[in-house]
Amino acid sequence: MWKPPEKIRFETRADPWPSAVQAGASQLFSPLSHGALSLAHRTWVPAMVPWRATDDGFVTDANIDWYARFAKGRPGAIVVEATGIRDVPSGPLLRIGHDRFIPGLQRLVSAVREASGGQTRLLIQLIDFLAIRRRPSREAFIERYLRVTDRHREALGGGELSDADVRHALLLLPHERLPDILTPRECDDLQFGYRERVTDTHLPAIAELPRTLPALFAAAAGRAKQAGFDGIELHYAHAYTMASFLSRKNTRNDGYGGPLEHRLRLPLEVYEAVRAEVGDALAVGCRYLADECIDGGTSTDESPAIGVAFAEAGMDFLSLSRGGKFDDAKQPKVGEAAYPYTGRSGYECMPGHISDQFGPFGRNVAASGLVRNAVRAAGLDVPVVVAGGMHSFTQAESVLRDGHADVIGFARQALADPDWFRKVLSGNGAGVRRCEYTNYCEGLDQKHKAVTCQLWDRVALDEPGAPRSADGKRRLVAPDWQP
Ligand SMILES: Cc1cc2nc3c(=O)[nH]c(=O)nc-3n(C[C@H](O)[C@H](O)[C@H](O)COP(=O)(O)O)c2cc1C
Ligand code: SF4
């Protein structure tokens, strides 16, 4: 994973913890109600893919254990991991692109209700992503994947060359000469693996996305409603389809790219289709980027206006993340796929303890404040959820008091200690396992391995009934806590 060149090492601060009385009177543990979003506390566990679904996208017992464990800590809300809206194979990631997925999701909803005593609201993150392939070897790329064109023939100096001749000539060419013959996009496909972009409008399925996606998202949202979820989080963040539509790098010229107004069109149309499907009883909002953190990308000069547009459209919440793009991802090894959290933007998304002078804590807070201010200035009171290095009561409370956000997202801190919320509220903050921001969990995610936390995955391994990884070496959920 990319690290800031300054390489300053940070330790998670041992901020003072509140007494039960102080916690009970805090903003963090006060309720929030807006539209269909009604939270007992302003605490939120953002989506985290745990790599526990079946290979064909069904909920497993391990998924249920994972979410029930978070629910035992009783946060205000949990967002279920990015769940695919299409009925296409996508490995062990949850899917919701067909009615056959509903019963498993229903079981998951019931488990969370039971484990949280009905207190935690459960949302599901709906995602669409485009095709991505592993990085090919140079030989495989030239012999199998490259589509030979007249441009290659001309660049090689022989208009009469057959496809086989072109491939043969390219194979013999020194590597550094290839950019003279291949287009920049072909060079990219060779070095990083083929990846579809929303700007590939020569591909009919990509050109048609504005016609296909609203119905796909709406149908998925309808299934989430049937499964009993309290809300929908539309995934408009990171490296995926909808974030790419919103991005300043979206140059489509069909009315869905270019000026911000056009880039907002599909995200708004998707939202409207989803709302029409589920009505007002379900909370519907989105997660988007306060800053893409890439050259030429969308930043805080646009994200406040994006928030205002979503709030005006009627979303029930805006959840802000940052970074996590393919644009600056590290080159994968041959045979591996690019991973969007390996560059600087990936660092901004999941900042680690080796950092720059700003440190890993609350890097998205200032940007979140800008979005919230713009939304409030427009006369709208839609709640803003902020995430990124949030871990302590003092820090969370000051973000709320300073008006930078309305709800605090704790992703890795909740993974490190799912009981954070109950412990702090009951005056037992001193017993919190503080996230160290080492990104061990994120490394597992990158390798598509069951995600666990290094602070507890080897603890009490022999505990009867504790679910374990396939090799038996790691427990899959944190040990129980009793006050
Ligand atoms: C293992 C793992 C999986 C994640 N999966 C998702 C996901 O499915 N959707 C999403 O929007 N963010 C995902 N994230 C990002 C988190 O939601 C969060 O934005 C990020 O970790 C920063 O917050 P934190 O510092 O509180 O961890 C994931 C993070 C981790 C560590
Ligand atoms: S492995 Fe645990 S301590 Fe390390 S970053 Fe992840 S949640 Fe935090």
Side-chain angles (χ1 to χ4, degrees), residues 155-169:
L156 287 165
E160 301 302 309
L161 291 175
S162 69
D163 284 12
D165 292 339
V166 169
R167 293 186 202 282
H168 186 65

Side-chain angles (χ1 to χ4, degrees), residues 46-50 66 80-82 125 233 235 237-238 287 320-321 341 349-351 360 387-390 409-413 415 437 439 441-442 445 451:
M48 276 182 282
V49 169
W66 167 267
V80 166
E81 68 206 71
Q125 188 179 60
E233 181 175 272
H235 199 343
H238 307 153
R287 187 166 217 214
L320 296 173
S321 182
Y341 305 98
C349 184
M350 299 179 213
M390 302 302 300
F410 301 84
R412 287 167 297 171
Q413 179 54 71
L415 172 58
Y437 296 98
N439 276 339
C441 50
E442 202 268 330
D445 176 39
V451 171

Side-chain angles (χ1 to χ4, degrees), residues 164-176:
D165 292 339
V166 169
R167 293 186 202 282
H168 186 65
L170 287 172
L171 280 173
L172 294 179
L173 217 60
H175 199 68
E176 58 281 6

